[in-house]
Amino acid sequence: MSKKMQITLNVNGTRHELLAEPRTLLIHVLRENLGITGPHIGCETSHCGACTILMNERSIKSCTVFAAQADGAEITTIEGLGTPDSLHPLQEAFREHHGLQCGFCTPGMITRAAQLLKENPDPTEEEVRFGMAGNLCRCTGYQNIVKAVLAAASEINTAKEAAQ
Ligand code: FES
Ligand code: FES
């Protein structure tokens, strides 16, 4: 067994200090050490996007990153985007537009979409499809996911205009 390393992760606003082997993947630390089970493990080979999280303002697939590489990082998971009482506009839109069925892909989809809308607040349908291409869904056929992301973009932009 290799020597464990001391790492610090700031997840959803909470600082965690823990020990992890150099080979341990970030998704495993999140789920198994910290009990943050929103990000899912689908393929573990960077194809499905179920494990998508935000790390230092970028969306990443947490099965492709060693926990040690995330030392000191600011991380947001689906748990940090909204709460049951105050859903993120994307969570609301996925519910409203039936953007999920089994829900396995949904935490990764929504987290990826949050970053997409940050980088491109008013995307076209084609841009949403391109931007979400790294996240796979076995259930929905994608139509309602795209609809939900576009609806959330419009909702966020309307709220921003109203606040000006
Ligand atoms: Fe990470 Fe599939 S579990 S991309
Ligand atoms: Fe089932 Fe996407 S809703 S995998």
Side-chain angles (χ1 to χ4, degrees):
M1 191 186 287
S2 51
K3 201 170 168 231
K4 291 192 173 179
M5 303 171 65
Q6 170 87 35
I7 59 172
T8 303
L9 301 176
N10 301 300
V11 188
N12 301 327
T14 303
R15 182 183 164 95
H16 301 272
E17 300 206 356
L18 52 106
L19 292 171
E21 286 184 41
R23 64 178 180 170
T24 307
L25 298 174
L26 181 55
I27 183 68
H28 290 142
V29 164
L30 290 173
R31 292 178 57 86
E32 290 158 27
N33 295 58
L34 304 184
I36 296 171
T37 54
H40 291 157
I41 300 172
C43 63
E44 263 189 325
T45 54
S46 84
H47 286 83
C48 75
C51 63
T52 303
I53 62 166
L54 304 179
M55 184 166 107
N56 296 336
E57 314 236 337
R58 294 175 66 195
S59 60
I60 61 145
K61 294 176 176 176
S62 57
C63 73
T64 65
V65 174
F66 292 117
Q69 291 174 294
D71 185 27
E74 292 292 333
I75 289 170
T76 304
T77 67
I78 187 72
E79 288 91 340
L81 286 181
T83 66
D85 292 334
S86 174
L87 295 180
H88 186 283
L90 276 161
Q91 291 170 319
E92 193 64 60
F94 269 64
R95 182 172 73 172
E96 180 75 15
H97 296 276
H98 309 290
L100 64 141
Q101 286 180 29
C102 79
F104 191 82
C105 70
T106 313
M109 283 283 177
I110 289 181
T111 309
R112 169 62 197 140
Q115 185 62 21
L116 172 69
L117 296 186
K118 214 167 173 191
E119 291 166 3
N120 181 1
D122 194 16
T124 63
E125 177 178 336
E126 196 183 352
E127 287 168 338
V128 170
R129 287 184 183 276
F130 184 77
M132 301 293 295
N135 290 69
L136 305 181
C137 176
R138 294 185 66 165
C139 307
T140 65
Y142 300 99
Q143 199 63 30
N144 288 348
I145 290 174
V146 174
K147 226 189 263 177
V149 175
L150 290 169
S154 160
E155 180 67 35
I156 293 167
N157 292 335
T158 305
K160 263 191 216 156
E161 279 164 24
Q164 280 169 2

mmCIF file of all heavy atoms in Angstrom, residues 27 40-52 61-64 134, ligand 1:
data_model
loop_
_atom_site.group_PDB
_atom_site.id
_atom_site.type_symbol
_atom_site.label_atom_id
_atom_site.label_comp_id
_atom_site.label_asym_id
_atom_site.label_seq_id
_atom_site.Cartn_x
_atom_site.Cartn_y
_atom_site.Cartn_z
ATOM 1 N N ILE A 27 -13.328 11.326 -7.318
ATOM 2 C CA ILE A 27 -14.728 10.886 -7.138
ATOM 3 C C ILE A 27 -14.850 9.936 -5.953
ATOM 4 O O ILE A 27 -15.821 9.979 -5.204
ATOM 5 C CB ILE A 27 -15.292 10.229 -8.433
ATOM 6 C CG1 ILE A 27 -16.767 9.837 -8.283
ATOM 7 C CG2 ILE A 27 -14.487 9.007 -8.872
ATOM 8 C CD1 ILE A 27 -17.716 10.952 -8.169
ATOM 9 N N HIS A 40 -22.045 10.875 -9.463
ATOM 10 C CA HIS A 40 -22.130 9.418 -9.570
ATOM 11 C C HIS A 40 -20.932 8.829 -10.304
ATOM 12 O O HIS A 40 -20.229 9.536 -11.028
ATOM 13 C CB HIS A 40 -23.415 9.031 -10.311
ATOM 14 C CG HIS A 40 -24.649 9.309 -9.526
ATOM 15 N ND1 HIS A 40 -25.881 9.489 -10.101
ATOM 16 C CD2 HIS A 40 -24.831 9.450 -8.190
ATOM 17 C CE1 HIS A 40 -26.783 9.717 -9.156
ATOM 18 N NE2 HIS A 40 -26.164 9.702 -7.990
ATOM 19 N N ILE A 41 -20.756 7.528 -10.128
ATOM 20 C CA ILE A 41 -19.727 6.806 -10.888
ATOM 21 C C ILE A 41 -20.454 5.986 -11.950
ATOM 22 O O ILE A 41 -21.245 5.101 -11.623
ATOM 23 C CB ILE A 41 -18.912 5.870 -9.977
ATOM 24 C CG1 ILE A 41 -18.221 6.672 -8.873
ATOM 25 C CG2 ILE A 41 -17.892 5.104 -10.805
ATOM 26 C CD1 ILE A 41 -17.554 5.814 -7.815
ATOM 27 N N GLY A 42 -20.193 6.323 -13.220
ATOM 28 C CA GLY A 42 -20.805 5.570 -14.311
ATOM 29 C C GLY A 42 -19.781 4.678 -14.966
ATOM 30 O O GLY A 42 -19.779 3.463 -14.785
ATOM 31 N N CYS A 43 -18.867 5.294 -15.705
ATOM 32 C CA CYS A 43 -17.920 4.521 -16.511
ATOM 33 C C CYS A 43 -16.523 4.444 -15.906
ATOM 34 O O CYS A 43 -15.782 3.518 -16.153
ATOM 35 C CB CYS A 43 -17.822 5.161 -17.893
ATOM 36 S SG CYS A 43 -17.167 6.853 -17.827
ATOM 37 N N GLU A 44 -16.163 5.468 -15.160
ATOM 38 C CA GLU A 44 -14.799 5.605 -14.603
ATOM 39 C C GLU A 44 -13.735 5.671 -15.688
ATOM 40 O O GLU A 44 -12.574 5.391 -15.433
ATOM 41 C CB GLU A 44 -14.478 4.459 -13.629
ATOM 42 C CG GLU A 44 -14.700 4.855 -12.191
ATOM 43 C CD GLU A 44 -14.183 3.826 -11.200
ATOM 44 O OE1 GLU A 44 -14.273 2.618 -11.499
ATOM 45 O OE2 GLU A 44 -13.699 4.230 -10.129
ATOM 46 N N THR A 45 -14.138 6.008 -16.896
ATOM 47 C CA THR A 45 -13.155 6.103 -17.983
ATOM 48 C C THR A 45 -13.322 7.413 -18.745
ATOM 49 O O THR A 45 -12.963 7.495 -19.910
ATOM 50 C CB THR A 45 -13.293 4.926 -18.963
ATOM 51 O OG1 THR A 45 -14.650 4.866 -19.411
ATOM 52 C CG2 THR A 45 -12.903 3.616 -18.342
ATOM 53 N N SER A 46 -13.936 8.404 -18.151
ATOM 54 C CA SER A 46 -14.093 9.761 -18.694
ATOM 55 C C SER A 46 -15.100 9.897 -19.821
ATOM 56 O O SER A 46 -15.162 10.926 -20.481
ATOM 57 C CB SER A 46 -12.737 10.339 -19.136
ATOM 58 O OG SER A 46 -12.427 9.907 -20.444
ATOM 59 N N HIS A 47 -15.945 8.884 -20.024
ATOM 60 C CA HIS A 47 -16.887 8.955 -21.146
ATOM 61 C C HIS A 47 -18.276 9.494 -20.783
ATOM 62 O O HIS A 47 -18.905 10.173 -21.577
ATOM 63 C CB HIS A 47 -17.069 7.570 -21.774
ATOM 64 C CG HIS A 47 -15.887 7.151 -22.575
ATOM 65 N ND1 HIS A 47 -14.772 6.577 -22.015
ATOM 66 C CD2 HIS A 47 -15.631 7.247 -23.889
ATOM 67 C CE1 HIS A 47 -13.883 6.337 -22.956
ATOM 68 N NE2 HIS A 47 -14.379 6.735 -24.099
ATOM 69 N N CYS A 48 -18.777 9.170 -19.590
ATOM 70 C CA CYS A 48 -20.212 9.383 -19.357
ATOM 71 C C CYS A 48 -20.574 10.726 -18.717
ATOM 72 O O CYS A 48 -21.690 11.208 -18.883
ATOM 73 C CB CYS A 48 -20.779 8.249 -18.507
ATOM 74 S SG CYS A 48 -20.323 8.333 -16.758
ATOM 75 N N GLY A 49 -19.681 11.301 -17.939
ATOM 76 C CA GLY A 49 -19.968 12.596 -17.316
ATOM 77 C C GLY A 49 -20.793 12.521 -16.037
ATOM 78 O O GLY A 49 -21.107 13.555 -15.442
ATOM 79 N N ALA A 50 -21.135 11.314 -15.581
ATOM 80 C CA ALA A 50 -21.951 11.204 -14.366
ATOM 81 C C ALA A 50 -21.242 11.781 -13.144
ATOM 82 O O ALA A 50 -21.870 12.184 -12.167
ATOM 83 C CB ALA A 50 -22.303 9.736 -14.108
ATOM 84 N N CYS A 51 -19.914 11.809 -13.198
ATOM 85 C CA CYS A 51 -19.110 12.247 -12.052
ATOM 86 C C CYS A 51 -18.737 13.731 -12.130
ATOM 87 O O CYS A 51 -17.869 14.179 -11.372
ATOM 88 C CB CYS A 51 -17.832 11.417 -12.000
ATOM 89 S SG CYS A 51 -16.808 11.695 -13.471
ATOM 90 N N THR A 52 -19.381 14.482 -13.031
ATOM 91 C CA THR A 52 -18.982 15.877 -13.258
ATOM 92 C C THR A 52 -19.173 16.740 -12.008
ATOM 93 O O THR A 52 -20.211 16.693 -11.348
ATOM 94 C CB THR A 52 -19.801 16.493 -14.417
ATOM 95 O OG1 THR A 52 -19.610 15.680 -15.578
ATOM 96 C CG2 THR A 52 -19.375 17.919 -14.711
ATOM 97 N N LYS A 61 -14.496 16.022 -14.976
ATOM 98 C CA LYS A 61 -14.986 14.683 -14.661
ATOM 99 C C LYS A 61 -14.103 14.160 -13.525
ATOM 100 O O LYS A 61 -12.906 13.953 -13.715
ATOM 101 C CB LYS A 61 -14.914 13.806 -15.905
ATOM 102 C CG LYS A 61 -15.894 14.309 -16.967
ATOM 103 C CD LYS A 61 -15.807 13.554 -18.262
ATOM 104 C CE LYS A 61 -16.884 14.057 -19.211
ATOM 105 N NZ LYS A 61 -16.800 13.427 -20.541
ATOM 106 N N SER A 62 -14.698 13.983 -12.381
ATOM 107 C CA SER A 62 -13.890 13.715 -11.188
ATOM 108 C C SER A 62 -13.329 12.301 -11.148
ATOM 109 O O SER A 62 -12.568 11.964 -10.248
ATOM 110 C CB SER A 62 -14.680 14.029 -9.911
ATOM 111 O OG SER A 62 -15.876 13.289 -9.871
ATOM 112 N N CYS A 63 -13.668 11.476 -12.143
ATOM 113 C CA CYS A 63 -13.015 10.158 -12.240
ATOM 114 C C CYS A 63 -11.714 10.260 -13.021
ATOM 115 O O CYS A 63 -11.002 9.270 -13.159
ATOM 116 C CB CYS A 63 -13.936 9.132 -12.902
ATOM 117 S SG CYS A 63 -14.139 9.355 -14.684
ATOM 118 N N THR A 64 -11.410 11.454 -13.532
ATOM 119 C CA THR A 64 -10.176 11.607 -14.317
ATOM 120 C C THR A 64 -9.104 12.370 -13.536
ATOM 121 O O THR A 64 -8.060 12.692 -14.090
ATOM 122 C CB THR A 64 -10.437 12.381 -15.627
ATOM 123 O OG1 THR A 64 -10.837 13.713 -15.283
ATOM 124 C CG2 THR A 64 -11.509 11.733 -16.464
ATOM 125 N N GLY A 134 -20.323 15.835 -23.610
ATOM 126 C CA GLY A 134 -19.531 14.930 -22.769
ATOM 127 C C GLY A 134 -20.335 14.282 -21.661
ATOM 128 O O GLY A 134 -19.780 13.568 -20.824
HETATM 129 FE FE1 FES B 1 -16.495 9.822 -14.748
HETATM 130 FE FE2 FES B 1 -18.068 8.369 -16.345
HETATM 131 S S1 FES B 1 -17.714 8.150 -14.200
HETATM 132 S S2 FES B 1 -16.930 10.153 -16.827
#
